[in-house]
């Protein structure tokens, strides 16, 4: 019972953000119009992805310290979940980009960062599938996971701030903070982020248990 | 320090003995540069020049590093463990690869100057950009080729692992080199230079700490 509180909370928050995100009053802005509601669905995916990848990174470090294969199973389950969120973020973003910027894909630092992140973690899955010995696989992929996470943070967190971007808050475009001071967006956005992270953790834990049973 | 030097001398000796590898790399450079010359037909614009230079150096380095650990396979792996620790090995390998990639990029720069003329205005900044880029390349490629080597898998795995990880270094380096071509002064480029130095040091330290976990059976 105790362990299921976060699952219930996660589902409630996600359902709340999905429904209330469509009903709530949003600021009236040119070009972006009602599509600003995508903030709740698109941006929360990225927050959830970074949280999943960070947890995967942390479990990889703990595996190298303890040599405990359970940590490795957690690490891969969380990385798979993070990958799912990054694809969802990509698709919701592409739809949003088509209606506000006029193209499915633009040469924007954040989009490049996403493409690289997906390539890095696909390479991580390829690496895992190329080995049989469980212990060796866990150790080598943990090394790659740690290195890859740091590179991903550099690419999505540091480099975009040095160049112009179409995204809010970069290169002269104002951030959302200057618009959403009515807090109308915040009371949906933050619960959405927390809800998706909790649901992601839940699914990852199910995958983790499935892997433990398979071995 | 002495041990690292001894390993480094050893790596260079192995390379000299296998001089056909160096020769084939030179041939690759010459072939690709001439291919670009034939296809472009005229002198490319500054940014195209820079892009082409980095594409050539990029694939040359990936190719080069894919055989980074070929002398340490099979029973030689155990032999190396008796003569050097993992930390000495990674430092020596990284230094070796830095010098090799540096040689590669200088040669590419030379060839491009012959075929397309040399648009670089601030030579010092361009050279610093090459050194920092070669360092970052070497760190990433040494670690990923070590990973690919330990899986005993296919040769393409190293490239698959390395290519996405190289993009941050590549982006910063080519930005610096483009600034050098345009003629930005050293002080104006300090911001990007500082970021690249910090990135190189960070990933170098990370590779140094992680490599011992890789280098064991």
């Amino acid at each position: 019972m105790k362990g299921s509180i976060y699952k219930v909370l996660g589902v409630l928050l996600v359902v709340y953000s999905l429904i209330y995100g469509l009903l709530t009053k949003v600021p009236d802005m040119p070009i972006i119009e009602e599509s600003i509601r995508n903030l709740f669905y698109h941006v929360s995916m990225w927050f959830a992805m970074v949280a999943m990848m960070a947890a995967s990174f942390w479990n990889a470090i703990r595996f190298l310290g303890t040599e405990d294969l359970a940590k490795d199973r957690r690490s891969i389950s969380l990385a798979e979940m993070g990958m799912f969120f990054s694809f969802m973020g990509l698709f919701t973003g592409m739809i949003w980009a088509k209606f506000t910027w006029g193209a499915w894909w633009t040469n924007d630092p954040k989009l490049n960062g996403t493409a690289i992140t997906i390539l890095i973690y696909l390479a991580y899955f390829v690496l895992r599938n190329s080995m049989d010995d469980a212990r060796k696989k866990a150790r080598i992929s943990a090394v790659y996971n740690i290195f890859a996470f740091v590179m991903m943070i550099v690419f999505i967190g540091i480099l975009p701030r040095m160049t112009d971007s179409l995204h809010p808050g970069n290169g002269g475009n104002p951030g959302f903070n200057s618009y959403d001071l009515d807090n109308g967006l915040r009371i949906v956005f933050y619960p959405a982020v927390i809800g998706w992270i909790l649901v992601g953790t839940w699914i990852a834990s199910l995958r983790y248990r499935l892997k433990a049973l398979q071995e | 320090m002495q041990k690292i030097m001894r390993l480094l001398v050893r790596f260079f000796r192995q390379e000299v003995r296998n001089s056909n590898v160096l020769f084939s790399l030179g041939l690759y450079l010459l072939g690709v540069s001439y291919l670009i010359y034939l296809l472009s037909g005229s002198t490319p614009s500054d940014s195209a020049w820079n892009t082409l230079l980095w594409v050539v150096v990029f694939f040359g380095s990936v190719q080069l590093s894919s055989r980074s650990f070929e002398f340490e396979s099979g029973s030689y792996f155990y032999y190396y463990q008796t003569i050097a620790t993992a930390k000495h090995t990674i430092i020596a390998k990284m230094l070796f690869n830095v010098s090799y990639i540096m040689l590669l990029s200088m040669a590419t720069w030379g060839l491009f100057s012959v075929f397309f003329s040399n648009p670089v205005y601030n030579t010092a900044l361009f050279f610093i950009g090459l050194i920092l880029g070669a360092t970052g390349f070497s760190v990433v490629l040494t670690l990923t080729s070590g990973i690919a080597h330990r899986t005993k898998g296919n040769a393409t795995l190293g490239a698959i692992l390395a290519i996405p990880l190289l993009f941050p270094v590549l982006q910063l380096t080519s930005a610096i080199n483009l600034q050098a071509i345009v003629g930005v002064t050293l002080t104006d480029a300090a911001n990007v230079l500082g970021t690249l130095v910090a990135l190189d040091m960070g990933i170098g330290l990370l590779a140094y700490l992680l490599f011992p976990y890789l280098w064991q059976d």
Side-chain angles (χ1 to χ4, degrees), chain A residues 63-174:
Chain A
F63 171 79
L64 288 183
T66 58
E67 292 271 319
D68 176 9
L69 281 176
K71 304 275 186 299
D72 176 59
R73 283 193 289 270
R74 273 187 218 284
S75 184
I76 175 70
S77 309
L78 286 160
E80 284 168 357
M81 207 50 223
M83 197 70 194
F84 174 77
F85 279 128
S86 78
F87 275 117
M88 289 297 114
L90 192 66
F91 295 143
T92 51
M94 280 170 83
I95 294 166
W96 203 359
K98 180 66 187 164
F99 289 99
T100 50
W101 303 337
W104 297 109
W105 192 268
T106 59
N107 186 10
D108 184 272
K110 293 208 173 167
L111 275 74
N112 292 337
T114 306
I116 300 303
T117 303
I118 288 175
L119 284 180
I120 288 177
Y121 279 93
L122 285 178
Y124 171 69
F125 298 137
V126 170
L127 173 66
R128 286 192 71 92
N129 286 331
S130 68
M131 284 174 284
D132 294 325
D133 180 34
R135 201 157 283 279
K136 190 174 165 187
K137 172 162 88 177
R139 199 165 57 222
I140 291 175
S141 56
V143 168
Y144 188 73
N145 189 334
I146 294 168
F147 201 75
F149 180 77
V150 172
M151 276 300 198
M152 180 192 87
I153 293 299
V154 169
F155 210 83
I156 65 173
I158 298 171
L159 293 189
R161 290 180 211 290
M162 301 182 64
T163 45
D164 286 351
S165 170
L166 289 169
H167 277 86
N170 297 82
N173 293 329

Side-chain angles (χ1 to χ4, degrees), chain A residues 64-65 67 109 112 116 119-120 122-124 126-127 130-131 136 139-140 142-144 146-148 150-152 154-155 158-159 162, chain B residues 139-140 143-144 147 150-152 157 160-162 164-165 167-169 171-172 191-192 195 199 203 206-207 210-211 213-214 216-217:
Chain A
L64 288 183
E67 292 271 319
N112 292 337
I116 300 303
L119 284 180
I120 288 177
L122 285 178
Y124 171 69
V126 170
L127 173 66
S130 68
M131 284 174 284
K136 190 174 165 187
R139 199 165 57 222
I140 291 175
V143 168
Y144 188 73
I146 294 168
F147 201 75
V150 172
M151 276 300 198
M152 180 192 87
V154 169
F155 210 83
I158 298 171
L159 293 189
M162 301 182 64
Chain B
V139 169
V140 172
L143 190 74
T144 51
I147 290 175
R150 297 299 293 134
T151 61
K152 295 188 180 70
L157 187 63
I160 293 171
L161 296 176
L165 292 181
F167 284 166
V169 178
Q171 207 182 30
L172 283 172
N191 191 13
V192 195
T195 313
L199 181 64
I203 58 178
L206 198 61
L210 288 174
F211 192 73
Y213 292 104
L214 212 59
Q216 51 180 260
D217 234 354

Side-chain angles (χ1 to χ4, degrees), chain B residues 81-102:
Chain B
Q81 295 214 315
T82 63
I83 61 167
T85 63
K87 293 195 166 171
H88 288 151
T89 310
I90 179 83
I91 292 179
K93 278 284 177 198
M94 284 202 270
L95 289 175
F96 175 73
N97 278 338
V98 167
S99 47
Y100 221 144
I101 295 171
M102 206 49 219

